[in-house]
């Protein structure tokens, strides 16, 4: 028969967990810090898996049990379970589904050709490498006590076995999404809400993190911005304060152009003149060396390096876009007194990377080098 106690009840012979109406739960929600919740629970089971350190709150999955104090209210008697009151302190994100809380973001963007960069700050339970294994027959990641939720983006900084792409010295870790999650396992898909990916073979060892904290993974909103630094700091707990730096390209940028004449940098509006010492009394008294004009365009982009353009003097690709104006020079002397230059006009002489985030990254700074050579000059 039921045994009554103040503010809650025990059902004899049935183990249960109930939140108490008294005392009222007390919240402490913060924009820039960990949220806290203090409440009390009844259980007729002292070793209750629903009330152990690190477990998720039954009503607020973004909160994790940090401290609990059980107090015996009714002793066990004649085979009937006892009654315990658990005073609990939960911490995390009271509004979220997982124990990762976004704190702040800063950004910096320039019109120059350099990379965009911004930073984000998080508090997270999932910012440290957590050991996992994998069972190929069920395509299941074995991760006891995980606090992920379906749809969470995750990545593997290291794996032994399976066909999943983990981070290595020659590859960046791929981003996967949790599906069919349980407290001790889950499966993954290549896209959010997608189908289960085959593991191919068992994972004998490996580590997993929230993808936002794995270097090389892309930002969830900006596909050309990737994690280039993650700095987690803890105070002896699984909670990490994490500063994450993203580098890449938020939006396309105008290219940067440098024009040179005779290796001297100049603007497109600068006049060009040649001095002839002593004046030009006859063409035999002077040498005329017409300068080579250079045009270097530098781009920030996610396109593949267009190496098929190198080298070329054809009109279709040998002329830069929106080329600088060049006034033609006509020389009327005996043809035997002229040097014929070839190739003449515009040609592209180099396409190369100037800077890259990583050899496996999809965003880089690259440049095209063009030159203009006059058709003839005087011997």
């Amino acid at each position: 028969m039921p045994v009554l106690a103040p503010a809650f009840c025990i059902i004899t012979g049935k183990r249960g967990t109930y939140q108490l109406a008294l005392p009222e739960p007390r919240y402490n929600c913060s924009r820039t810090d960990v949220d806290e919740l203090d409440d009390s629970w009844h259980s007729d089971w002292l070793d209750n898996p629903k009330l152990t350190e690190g477990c998720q709150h039954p009503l607020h999955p973004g909160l994790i049990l940090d401290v609990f104090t059980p107090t015996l209210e009714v002793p066990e008697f004649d085979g009937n379970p006892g009654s315990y009151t658990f005073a609990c302190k939960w911490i995390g994100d009271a509004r979220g589904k997982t124990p990762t809380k976004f704190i702040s973001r800063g950004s910096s963007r320039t019109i120059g050709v350099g990379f965009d960069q911004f930073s984000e700050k998080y508090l997270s339970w999932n910012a440290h490498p957590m050991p996992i294994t994998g069972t190929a027959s069920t395509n299941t990641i074995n991760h006891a006590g995980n606090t992920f939720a379906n749809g969470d983006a995750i990545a593997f900084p290291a794996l032994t076995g399976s066909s999943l792409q983990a981070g290595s010295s020659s590859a960046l870790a791929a981003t996967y999404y949790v599906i069919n999650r349980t407290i001790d396992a889950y499966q993954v898909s290549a896209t959010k809400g997608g189908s289960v990916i085959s593991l191919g073979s068992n994972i004998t060892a490996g580590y997993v993190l929230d993808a936002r904290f794995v270097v090389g993974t892309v930002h969830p909103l900006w596909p050309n911005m990737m994690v280039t630094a993650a700095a987690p700091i803890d105070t002896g707990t699984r909670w990490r304060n994490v500063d994450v730096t993203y580098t890449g390209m938020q939006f396309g940028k105008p290219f940067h152009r440098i024009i040179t004449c005779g290796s001297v940098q100049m603007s497109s509006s600068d006049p060009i003149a040649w001095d002839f010492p002593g004046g030009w009394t006859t063409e035999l008294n002077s040498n005329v060396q017409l300068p080579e004009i250079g045009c270097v365009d530098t781009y920030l982009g996610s396109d593949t390096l267009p190496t098929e353009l190198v080298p070329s003097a054809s009109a279709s690709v040998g002329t830069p876009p929106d080329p600088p104006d060049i006034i033609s020079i006509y020389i009327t002397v005996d043809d035997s007194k002229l040097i014929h230059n070839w190739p003449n006009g515009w040609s592209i002489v180099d396409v190369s990377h100037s800077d890259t985030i990583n050899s496996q990254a999809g965003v880089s700074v690259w440049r095209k080098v063009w030159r203009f050579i006059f058709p003839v000059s005087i011997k």
Side-chain angles (χ1 to χ4, degrees):
M1 61 182 297
V3 179
L4 300 180
F8 59 89
C9 67
I10 302 171
I11 301 176
T12 302
K14 294 184 178 180
R15 292 182 170 182
T17 303
Y18 311 95
Q19 187 173 20
L20 301 181
L22 296 174
E24 291 290 339
R26 182 177 62 83
Y27 284 95
N28 179 18
C29 295
S30 172
R31 186 183 297 251
T32 59
D33 204 346
V34 173
D35 296 338
E36 297 179 359
L37 167 62
D38 294 327
D39 59 11
S40 296
W41 293 74
H42 152 73
S43 175
D44 54 4
W45 191 359
L46 179 61
D47 187 18
N48 191 328
K50 294 184 179 180
L51 296 172
T52 58
E53 183 182 4
C55 70
Q56 289 175 282
H57 195 288
L59 304 178
H60 305 281
L63 295 172
I64 290 177
L65 184 55
D66 184 47
V67 179
F68 66 97
T69 305
T71 301
L72 179 63
E73 300 288 350
V74 179
E76 180 179 346
F77 177 74
D78 196 21
N80 293 320
S83 171
Y84 298 87
T85 297
F86 284 73
C88 298
K89 181 182 184 65
W90 309 80
I91 57 178
D93 186 356
R95 306 167 186 83
K97 295 182 179 179
T98 59
T100 297
K101 185 176 182 180
F102 174 72
I103 300 298
S104 62
R105 175 183 294 131
S107 63
S108 173
R109 189 166 191 268
T110 67
I111 198 172
V113 295
F115 296 111
D116 296 333
Q117 190 171 85
F118 60 75
S119 61
E120 296 182 343
K121 182 183 288 290
Y122 293 88
L123 286 164
S124 179
W125 189 266
N126 295 322
H128 65 289
M130 296 168 283
I132 54 95
T133 60
T135 305
S137 60
T138 57
N139 297 316
T140 300
I141 307 294
N142 306 309
H143 183 176
N146 75 84
T147 53
F148 292 127
N150 287 329
D152 280 358
I154 62 173
F156 303 95
L159 284 180
T160 301
S162 92
S163 57
L164 301 180
Q165 182 176 320
S168 69
S169 59
S170 59
L172 299 176
T175 299
Y176 299 98
Y177 297 87
V178 173
I179 56 176
N180 303 322
R181 181 260 179 189
T182 67
I183 189 63
D184 292 322
Y186 44 83
Q187 296 171 310
V188 295
S189 60
T191 58
K192 194 168 185 177
S195 57
V196 176
I197 290 180
S198 172
L199 298 186
S201 61
N202 289 338
I203 300 173
T204 57
Y207 292 92
V208 67
L209 286 85
D210 186 309
R212 287 170 289 189
F213 311 128
V214 178
V215 172
T217 56
V218 299
H219 192 277
L221 300 178
W222 305 100
N224 291 316
M225 298 292 296
M226 62 193 63
V227 180
T228 52
I233 300 174
D234 69 88
T235 55
T237 70
R238 281 185 60 184
W239 283 102
R240 303 292 196 273
N241 288 277
V242 194
D243 290 314
V244 182
T245 301
Y246 286 91
T247 306
M249 180 178 66
Q250 285 183 270
F251 304 101
K253 291 185 177 182
F255 62 82
H256 180 254
R257 171 167 285 180
I258 295 177
I259 299 173
T260 59
C261 182
S263 300
V264 178
Q265 183 175 340
M266 58 199 320
S267 72
S268 58
S269 60
D270 286 340
I272 300 173
W274 293 271
D275 293 328
F276 296 93
W280 189 330
T281 57
T282 170
E283 67 274 11
L284 297 179
N285 295 333
S286 301
N287 288 329
V288 179
Q289 180 65 51
L290 299 180
E292 177 181 304
I293 297 174
C295 180
V296 179
D297 291 345
T298 307
Y299 303 79
L300 173 68
S302 57
D303 297 332
T304 303
L305 184 67
T307 52
E308 73 279 1
L309 300 183
V310 183
S312 177
S314 65
S316 59
V317 295
T319 303
D322 189 22
D325 293 329
I326 298 176
I327 299 175
S328 299
I329 297 178
Y330 297 93
I331 301 175
T332 57
V333 295
D334 190 317
D335 188 69
S336 63
K337 299 175 182 179
L338 298 179
I339 297 175
H340 292 262
N341 301 315
W342 188 91
N344 55 63
W346 283 110
S347 60
I348 185 167
V349 296
D350 181 61
V351 177
S352 60
H353 275 121
S354 296
D355 195 9
T356 183
I357 300 175
N358 179 275
S359 61
Q360 303 297 318
V363 179
S364 60
V365 178
W366 51 281
R367 67 176 189 171
K368 291 181 179 179
V369 180
W370 321 79
R371 69 180 178 187
F372 182 93
I373 298 176
F374 289 94
V376 295
S377 57
I378 299 177
K379 294 181 182 179

